[in-house]
Amino acid sequence: MLSDSYLLRRQIKQKRALATVANIAEAAVTVLTRDGAGRFTTNRVAEEADVNIASLYRYFPNKEALLLHLIHLSWEEERAHLSPILIDKSLGDAEMFRIFIREYFLIEAQEAELKRAIRAAAVDMWNTVEYREAIARGSNLFRKLIARVLRDRPIGMNLDVNFGVLLTIGAAEKSAEIFNSKADIIRSADLVSEILIARWKIC
Amino acid sequence: MLSDSYLLRRQIKQKRALATVANIAEAAVTVLTRDGAGRFTTNRVAEEADVNIASLYRYFPNKEALLLHLIHLSWEEERAHLSPILIDKSLGDAEMFRIFIREYFLIEAQEAELKRAIRAAAVDMWNTVEYREAIARGSNLFRKLIARVLRDRPIGMNLDVNFGVLLTIGAAEKSAEIFNSKADIIRSADLVSEILIARWKIC
Amino acid sequence: MLSDSYLLRRQIKQKRALATVANIAEAAVTVLTRDGAGRFTTNRVAEEADVNIASLYRYFPNKEALLLHLIHLSWEEERAHLSPILIDKSLGDAEMFRIFIREYFLIEAQEAELKRAIRAAAVDMWNTVEYREAIARGSNLFRKLIARVLRDRPIGMNLDVNFGVLLTIGAAEKSAEIFNSKADIIRSADLVSEILIARWKIC
Amino acid sequence: MLSDSYLLRRQIKQKRALATVANIAEAAVTVLTRDGAGRFTTNRVAEEADVNIASLYRYFPNKEALLLHLIHLSWEEERAHLSPILIDKSLGDAEMFRIFIREYFLIEAQEAELKRAIRAAAVDMWNTVEYREAIARGSNLFRKLIARVLRDRPIGMNLDVNFGVLLTIGAAEKSAEIFNSKADIIRSADLVSEILIARWKIC
DNA sequence: CATGAATGAGAATTCATTCAT
DNA sequence: CATGAATGAATTCTCATTCAT
């Protein structure tokens, strides 16, 4: 019994802890987008989250861990949007390709400011494995898409997959940077799909 | 329309001063690329340049001015490499296009680290006119190239010039980020040329 | 209507913090009177208080806030000395007037050096509302005294109250500046009382 | 001959030097009153005077010397205004007294801002002999006036001369600080004269 | 001698992080 | 464990003053 209630308390505590972590993360995003990477300080985040600074450090061993967590969340959100498209059996390859890329461009645009701020705040992490990995994951889903739509091409065909990936990611980022209207973003996305669909003869 | 506060502080009147400014700029580049944007501090730059910090502030009214100066230098170098191509009368359009884009990708790759560091260090300038202008200049030459090779297309043709620009710049940046070998960079560049040459029917 | 930026930074919640604030204030007074306004730097104050400079900034958002705090303390002390006189029912008007002014001159003399140093250190605040208000409070008690002893004069009588105030304050400041002995100060004070008592026919 | 022309050159040079000194002093006053004591730096003064900073240091060994010079000038101007009154044989004692004090209050008011700025800038000189002497001179003329109008009082009469001096100077300073209109200043001055004339039975 | 160049020393302020209760 | 208190180490920038030409 004792241990039971202890367990319960533990769970409650864990729930609380989870809420605190979410709270801090949210505050971090707020600070990052509202005040900019230059004003992104742990103290400010703690204050915004209405949490003691020492508590922040209980959950995140250091500033970098917090940033990595944000990157993780952003990636999770991306995945939540894009994954469903990949398993939608009602879509033909070309259609899936187009829809996926559109969605990808739109998410990228929507999160552009946050991502830029994160990148800026993560200045000192550029060369850490963790950061590189966290960032790299961004393209994984996209590679999955490509694997899906090119599934039955004979191996050895020169398909320039890497090039396709970088072209798309680059265009998505730049579009997000340059364009403001949704229409423009979609247009960019469609042009990229068109190019790659033609190039890879996706039907 | 640069505001005073971002210019060099004074007309340089002596060779000695010119050397000092160059020295500081060089040190800034060193610090930026060697130590990263996070360690890019005016004191460190001054120390690296082996000049007193006050001397740095004699020529640059603040840290941002120094960064802007670096952007300016980097752009000058880019121009020095690319301009000649645009006026080379011996080249056909498609050829010029291909060569220009190759060169552009290569420079971008070469300066990638510095540029990324500058961008990271310029976090707080993102919204200043000066920064935006300094950055925007990067695409100007490229637009000139496009104007040159599309010179006799009927106006009104839907040529997606903006899209072409962002596609190229995005791909160049990403290539620089991802690839390490010159061969890979060139391959990316050529693929982009190929796509745009086909798309715009450049001969 | 104090602007946020000149207040204590936070509500003090622990005795320890209260002690720290008092400690810093005391150190500030020491530095100001011992080393002079020119050497009154936040770093020096922190060192004198034997606290980290960051602690100082934890409680005072900036140097001005610290100065304003000192002015506030000095004013509180003045009030602690002078208020009781104003409510002493055993005193006749003329007597109260004389005693009050004596006390005022003496306090002024005692705090002269500090006040002068504060004023000198507050050079850049001269035009801020906060500073003007903080300083103005000094004459309030004195005006209260005058209101008290002139209470039943017919309105409209030309009593030159403002002139009386400036005369007294001016004389008090100058006496503090010039004289060293308590006797001299008291003599000045009494001469001023005499003049005003005669002028205003205070009994 | 040679020595002659050398002398001439010397004189010319001395004239030039005098002009430079005047120029610097003027610039110093400008900076002090326009930018405030906090922004009163030798470099800024040199720039305002359009003189090289090293030249400033040729004529003034340090910042303090410059300030002392300003104090000197201010005192000279005061003397230029007040001296004539003291030797005007057409004035009766009381009349002279009144006129002198009016003029004194007015000058004080006119120069109040500059004097305050000088005092603030001279923060670190408070305890130097030079500063005390320079300041003290301010009351000398006033003492001369008193000596003049009290000339035939039997020695030993308790005339509270020192008190009269500090009362007047204090009132003049405070009036300058508080009042804006000339009328108010004059009214203050006249009230002070009235008090002292009555007290000292000046006719 | 006048000038441009240079600098040592220090000023205000911030920030990631730790500790004591 | 959550919180308030505390801090070491920087960071940007300034200023009085001195040199070298």
Side-chain angles (χ1 to χ4, degrees), chain C residues 4-200:
Chain C
D4 241 44
S5 55
Y6 285 125
L7 283 173
L8 276 185
R9 203 161 213 166
R10 55 190 68 231
Q11 297 297 344
I12 279 101
K13 291 178 189 161
Q14 289 186 11
K15 273 183 238 160
R16 198 176 162 208
L18 225 68
T20 303
V21 167
N23 181 22
I24 292 171
E26 196 183 340
V29 170
T30 303
V31 170
L32 224 27
T33 50
R34 188 193 57 201
D35 307 339
R39 248 91 47 190
F40 179 70
T41 71
T42 48
N43 282 291
R44 197 180 270 244
V45 169
E47 196 184 0
E48 175 73 28
D50 208 23
V51 299
N52 188 279
I53 177 67
S55 291
L56 189 156
Y57 278 93
R58 182 172 160 79
Y59 297 107
F60 301 97
N62 47 47
K63 200 185 176 186
E64 280 83 38
L66 175 54
L67 272 171
L68 246 11
H69 185 67
L70 297 188
I71 295 175
H72 182 78
L73 290 182
S74 141
W75 151 250
E76 284 296 347
E77 183 160 341
E78 199 162 312
R79 204 171 64 129
H81 275 77
L82 297 178
S83 265
I85 300 172
L86 286 180
I87 53 173
D88 186 334
K89 308 236 163 174
S90 71
L91 300 172
D93 283 359
E95 209 178 354
M96 176 185 286
F97 199 82
R98 243 185 309 263
I99 291 177
F100 185 101
I101 286 188
R102 262 195 195 183
E103 200 61 35
Y104 178 66
F105 269 59
L106 286 170
I107 295 169
E108 200 66 25
Q110 192 185 301
E111 304 244 294
E113 212 172 345
L114 175 59
K115 284 197 169 180
R116 184 162 46 245
I118 288 179
R119 237 173 293 151
V123 164
D124 290 332
M125 303 172 62
W126 239 93
N127 296 313
T128 65
V129 189
E130 291 85 358
Y131 182 71
R132 303 299 273 245
E133 270 178 9
I135 290 294
R137 276 154 123 196
S139 62
N140 284 354
L141 270 183
F142 188 52
R143 285 177 187 280
K144 244 189 197 161
L145 167 73
I146 295 174
R148 173 83 160 70
V149 298
L150 298 184
R151 87 198 79 100
D152 36 41
R153 299 311 154 83
I155 290 169
M157 266 195 73
N158 185 355
L159 289 163
D160 302 313
V161 171
N162 278 335
F163 173 71
V165 172
L166 78 83
L167 192 79
T168 310
I169 296 181
E173 276 181 19
K174 281 289 156 195
S175 297
E177 198 176 313
I178 293 167
F179 295 136
N180 294 310
S181 81
K182 198 173 166 179
D184 280 336
I185 302 284
I186 289 179
R187 182 158 173 71
S188 264
D190 286 352
L191 286 167
V192 166
S193 326
E194 185 194 318
I195 287 170
L196 291 178
I197 285 172
R199 193 167 185 83
W200 288 336

Side-chain angles (χ1 to χ4, degrees), chain B residues 81-164:
Chain B
H81 275 78
L82 297 178
S83 265
I85 300 173
L86 286 179
I87 52 174
D88 187 333
K89 308 233 162 174
S90 71
L91 299 171
D93 283 359
E95 208 178 354
M96 176 185 285
F97 199 83
R98 241 186 308 262
I99 291 177
F100 185 101
I101 286 189
R102 262 194 194 185
E103 200 61 33
Y104 177 67
F105 270 59
L106 286 170
I107 296 170
E108 199 68 25
Q110 191 185 302
E111 304 245 293
E113 211 171 344
L114 175 59
K115 285 199 168 178
R116 184 162 44 247
I118 288 179
R119 238 173 293 151
V123 164
D124 290 331
M125 302 171 63
W126 238 94
N127 296 314
T128 64
V129 188
E130 289 86 356
Y131 183 71
R132 303 298 274 246
E133 270 177 9
I135 290 295
R137 277 154 121 193
S139 62
N140 283 353
L141 271 183
F142 189 51
R143 285 177 188 280
K144 243 188 197 161
L145 168 73
I146 295 175
R148 173 84 159 70
V149 298
L150 298 184
R151 86 197 82 97
D152 36 41
R153 300 310 154 82
I155 290 169
M157 267 196 73
N158 186 355
L159 289 163
D160 303 312
V161 171
N162 279 335
F163 172 71

